[in-house]
Amino acid sequence: MQGSFGEKHLHGIDPKGRLQLSRQIRDQLKLKKGDRLHLLPNIDEPPYLEIRTAGQWTEYEQRFLSQAPGDLKRDFVRFVQLHRETVIADSQGRIILPRSLRDRCQLDASVVVINMNACVEVWNPKHIERRYADMASAFKSVNNSFF
């Protein structure tokens, strides 16, 4: 049974821009050769890459489209149209991360891949460490209150 917490793995991006997803993540996503994955940069600071299966993408779109119309919604749709990439998994669970997305998310040869269940996140290791370094004491407090 899958819990609420996903998996985290350290991976490399090869010189051709390919990222091999771990067996655990491929199994959780039920990923097979030829499956399409949707890539979208998350422009939080620091930026990271989101990967979604076709089913996860459909759910993401439906949730978004159910929101009230407005300028912000139109701008986000434009952002998605400009930056979303669709890639196909090969038989070894590799996907090509386009150079434009690697650059936008500042992804180098070494990346951290985290299955967040709603999507898979790909981070520059320095970025994720920096983002959560200052939050360590807050996380300790939350953890201590639950356990």
Side-chain angles (χ1 to χ4, degrees), residues 91-122:
S91 61
Q92 296 175 13
R94 294 178 301 191
I95 57 172
I96 294 177
L97 302 182
R99 167 61 67 191
S100 60
L101 292 179
R102 285 183 278 147
D103 290 346
R104 178 171 287 281
C105 297
Q106 302 169 17
L107 302 175
D108 297 320
S110 182
V111 294
V112 174
V113 178
I114 305 171
N115 184 2
M116 295 295 290
N117 296 324
C119 70
V120 172
E121 297 178 352
V122 182

Side-chain angles (χ1 to χ4, degrees), residues 78-97:
R78 287 184 192 108
F79 175 82
V80 169
Q81 294 299 331
L82 288 169
H83 298 289
R84 180 182 76 160
E85 296 281 349
T86 302
V87 297
I88 297 175
D90 70 11
S91 61
Q92 296 175 13
R94 294 178 301 191
I95 57 172
I96 294 177
L97 302 182

Side-chain angles (χ1 to χ4, degrees), residues 40-41 43 50 57 60 64 70-82:
L40 185 66
I43 55 173
E50 297 176 351
W57 184 260
Y60 179 75
F64 178 76
D71 290 342
L72 187 59
K73 185 175 180 179
R74 277 191 299 278
D75 287 342
F76 186 74
V77 168
R78 287 184 192 108
F79 175 82
V80 169
Q81 294 299 331
L82 288 169

